[in-house]
PDB file of all heavy atoms in Angstrom:
ATOM      1  N   ARG A 110     -11.292  14.524   2.262  1.00 86.00           N
ATOM      2  CA  ARG A 110     -11.993  15.450   1.368  1.00 86.00           C
ATOM      3  C   ARG A 110     -11.783  16.892   1.809  1.00 86.00           C
ATOM      4  O   ARG A 110     -11.553  17.790   0.985  1.00 86.00           O
ATOM      5  CB  ARG A 110     -13.483  15.116   1.330  1.00 86.00           C
ATOM      6  CG  ARG A 110     -14.301  16.137   0.546  1.00 86.00           C
ATOM      7  CD  ARG A 110     -15.783  15.786   0.534  1.00 86.00           C
ATOM      8  NE  ARG A 110     -16.044  14.644  -0.345  1.00 86.00           N
ATOM      9  CZ  ARG A 110     -17.269  14.201  -0.629  1.00 86.00           C
ATOM     10  NH1 ARG A 110     -18.331  14.788  -0.078  1.00 86.00           N
ATOM     11  NH2 ARG A 110     -17.434  13.177  -1.443  1.00 86.00           N
ATOM     12  N   ALA A 111     -11.868  17.135   3.140  1.00 86.00           N
ATOM     13  CA  ALA A 111     -11.676  18.495   3.645  1.00 86.00           C
ATOM     14  C   ALA A 111     -10.269  18.990   3.340  1.00 86.00           C
ATOM     15  O   ALA A 111     -10.060  20.145   2.955  1.00 86.00           O
ATOM     16  CB  ALA A 111     -11.944  18.539   5.147  1.00 86.00           C
ATOM     17  N   VAL A 112      -9.278  18.114   3.501  1.00 89.00           N
ATOM     18  CA  VAL A 112      -7.892  18.505   3.245  1.00 89.00           C
ATOM     19  C   VAL A 112      -7.663  18.745   1.762  1.00 89.00           C
ATOM     20  O   VAL A 112      -7.095  19.779   1.360  1.00 89.00           O
ATOM     21  CB  VAL A 112      -6.929  17.419   3.774  1.00 89.00           C
ATOM     22  CG1 VAL A 112      -5.503  17.705   3.309  1.00 89.00           C
ATOM     23  CG2 VAL A 112      -6.984  17.357   5.293  1.00 89.00           C
ATOM     24  N   GLU A 113      -8.100  17.833   0.916  1.00 87.00           N
ATOM     25  CA  GLU A 113      -7.859  17.978  -0.516  1.00 87.00           C
ATOM     26  C   GLU A 113      -8.622  19.155  -1.112  1.00 87.00           C
ATOM     27  O   GLU A 113      -8.229  19.689  -2.149  1.00 87.00           O
ATOM     28  CB  GLU A 113      -8.227  16.677  -1.223  1.00 87.00           C
ATOM     29  CG  GLU A 113      -7.255  15.548  -0.873  1.00 87.00           C
ATOM     30  CD  GLU A 113      -7.602  14.234  -1.529  1.00 87.00           C
ATOM     31  OE1 GLU A 113      -8.735  14.113  -2.048  1.00 87.00           O
ATOM     32  OE2 GLU A 113      -6.742  13.328  -1.530  1.00 87.00           O
ATOM     33  N   GLY A 114      -9.689  19.581  -0.435  1.00 89.00           N
ATOM     34  CA  GLY A 114     -10.403  20.774  -0.880  1.00 89.00           C
ATOM     35  C   GLY A 114      -9.597  22.049  -0.712  1.00 89.00           C
ATOM     36  O   GLY A 114      -9.975  23.105  -1.240  1.00 89.00           O
ATOM     37  N   LEU A 115      -8.489  21.953   0.010  1.00 92.00           N
ATOM     38  CA  LEU A 115      -7.629  23.117   0.231  1.00 92.00           C
ATOM     39  C   LEU A 115      -6.672  23.372  -0.932  1.00 92.00           C
ATOM     40  O   LEU A 115      -5.959  24.378  -0.929  1.00 92.00           O
ATOM     41  CB  LEU A 115      -6.794  22.910   1.507  1.00 92.00           C
ATOM     42  CG  LEU A 115      -7.561  22.717   2.815  1.00 92.00           C
ATOM     43  CD1 LEU A 115      -6.602  22.310   3.920  1.00 92.00           C
ATOM     44  CD2 LEU A 115      -8.292  23.994   3.192  1.00 92.00           C
ATOM     45  N   GLN A 116      -6.630  22.483  -1.910  1.00 94.00           N
ATOM     46  CA  GLN A 116      -5.643  22.575  -2.987  1.00 94.00           C
ATOM     47  C   GLN A 116      -5.608  23.934  -3.688  1.00 94.00           C
ATOM     48  O   GLN A 116      -4.529  24.518  -3.846  1.00 94.00           O
ATOM     49  CB  GLN A 116      -5.889  21.471  -4.008  1.00 94.00           C
ATOM     50  CG  GLN A 116      -4.909  21.444  -5.170  1.00 94.00           C
ATOM     51  CD  GLN A 116      -3.565  20.847  -4.788  1.00 94.00           C
ATOM     52  OE1 GLN A 116      -3.507  19.730  -4.322  1.00 94.00           O
ATOM     53  NE2 GLN A 116      -2.501  21.596  -5.009  1.00 94.00           N
ATOM     54  N   PRO A 117      -6.750  24.498  -4.125  1.00 95.00           N
ATOM     55  CA  PRO A 117      -6.683  25.800  -4.807  1.00 95.00           C
ATOM     56  C   PRO A 117      -6.075  26.891  -3.932  1.00 95.00           C
ATOM     57  O   PRO A 117      -5.252  27.696  -4.402  1.00 95.00           O
ATOM     58  CB  PRO A 117      -8.140  26.099  -5.155  1.00 95.00           C
ATOM     59  CG  PRO A 117      -8.799  24.760  -5.195  1.00 95.00           C
ATOM     60  CD  PRO A 117      -8.124  23.953  -4.131  1.00 95.00           C
ATOM     61  N   ARG A 118      -6.488  26.947  -2.666  1.00 96.00           N
ATOM     62  CA  ARG A 118      -5.954  27.954  -1.759  1.00 96.00           C
ATOM     63  C   ARG A 118      -4.461  27.725  -1.545  1.00 96.00           C
ATOM     64  O   ARG A 118      -3.673  28.681  -1.534  1.00 96.00           O
ATOM     65  CB  ARG A 118      -6.699  27.879  -0.425  1.00 96.00           C
ATOM     66  CG  ARG A 118      -6.137  28.730   0.694  1.00 96.00           C
ATOM     67  CD  ARG A 118      -6.148  30.203   0.360  1.00 96.00           C
ATOM     68  NE  ARG A 118      -5.789  31.016   1.512  1.00 96.00           N
ATOM     69  CZ  ARG A 118      -5.242  32.212   1.438  1.00 96.00           C
ATOM     70  NH1 ARG A 118      -5.005  32.770   0.250  1.00 96.00           N
ATOM     71  NH2 ARG A 118      -4.947  32.881   2.532  1.00 96.00           N
ATOM     72  N   LEU A 119      -4.049  26.483  -1.409  1.00 96.00           N
ATOM     73  CA  LEU A 119      -2.643  26.157  -1.211  1.00 96.00           C
ATOM     74  C   LEU A 119      -1.810  26.598  -2.413  1.00 96.00           C
ATOM     75  O   LEU A 119      -0.737  27.198  -2.255  1.00 96.00           O
ATOM     76  CB  LEU A 119      -2.505  24.652  -0.975  1.00 96.00           C
ATOM     77  CG  LEU A 119      -1.097  24.076  -0.856  1.00 96.00           C
ATOM     78  CD1 LEU A 119      -0.333  24.728   0.274  1.00 96.00           C
ATOM     79  CD2 LEU A 119      -1.172  22.568  -0.651  1.00 96.00           C
ATOM     80  N   GLU A 120      -2.281  26.317  -3.616  1.00 97.00           N
ATOM     81  CA  GLU A 120      -1.547  26.719  -4.814  1.00 97.00           C
ATOM     82  C   GLU A 120      -1.373  28.229  -4.882  1.00 97.00           C
ATOM     83  O   GLU A 120      -0.305  28.729  -5.264  1.00 97.00           O
ATOM     84  CB  GLU A 120      -2.265  26.197  -6.057  1.00 97.00           C
ATOM     85  CG  GLU A 120      -2.221  24.680  -6.184  1.00 97.00           C
ATOM     86  CD  GLU A 120      -3.035  24.186  -7.364  1.00 97.00           C
ATOM     87  OE1 GLU A 120      -3.701  25.017  -8.024  1.00 97.00           O
ATOM     88  OE2 GLU A 120      -3.002  22.960  -7.644  1.00 97.00           O
ATOM     89  N   THR A 121      -2.411  28.951  -4.505  1.00 97.00           N
ATOM     90  CA  THR A 121      -2.325  30.416  -4.504  1.00 97.00           C
ATOM     91  C   THR A 121      -1.271  30.899  -3.524  1.00 97.00           C
ATOM     92  O   THR A 121      -0.446  31.773  -3.843  1.00 97.00           O
ATOM     93  CB  THR A 121      -3.693  31.028  -4.145  1.00 97.00           C
ATOM     94  OG1 THR A 121      -4.647  30.649  -5.135  1.00 97.00           O
ATOM     95  CG2 THR A 121      -3.614  32.540  -4.061  1.00 97.00           C
ATOM     96  N   LEU A 122      -1.269  30.346  -2.303  1.00 97.00           N
ATOM     97  CA  LEU A 122      -0.297  30.743  -1.285  1.00 97.00           C
ATOM     98  C   LEU A 122       1.130  30.459  -1.747  1.00 97.00           C
ATOM     99  O   LEU A 122       2.029  31.293  -1.576  1.00 97.00           O
ATOM    100  CB  LEU A 122      -0.569  30.014   0.027  1.00 97.00           C
ATOM    101  CG  LEU A 122      -1.790  30.445   0.835  1.00 97.00           C
ATOM    102  CD1 LEU A 122      -2.009  29.494   2.008  1.00 97.00           C
ATOM    103  CD2 LEU A 122      -1.610  31.872   1.340  1.00 97.00           C
ATOM    104  N   VAL A 123       1.340  29.298  -2.337  1.00 98.00           N
ATOM    105  CA  VAL A 123       2.685  28.932  -2.784  1.00 98.00           C
ATOM    106  C   VAL A 123       3.139  29.842  -3.916  1.00 98.00           C
ATOM    107  O   VAL A 123       4.272  30.355  -3.906  1.00 98.00           O
ATOM    108  CB  VAL A 123       2.724  27.455  -3.220  1.00 98.00           C
ATOM    109  CG1 VAL A 123       4.078  27.114  -3.847  1.00 98.00           C
ATOM    110  CG2 VAL A 123       2.452  26.537  -2.037  1.00 98.00           C
TER     111      VAL A 123
END
Side-chain angles (χ1 to χ4, degrees):
R110 173 180 287 186
V112 171
E113 291 179 346
L115 300 171
Q116 181 77 57
R118 172 61 172 154
L119 175 58
E120 292 175 355
T121 298
L122 287 172
V123 173

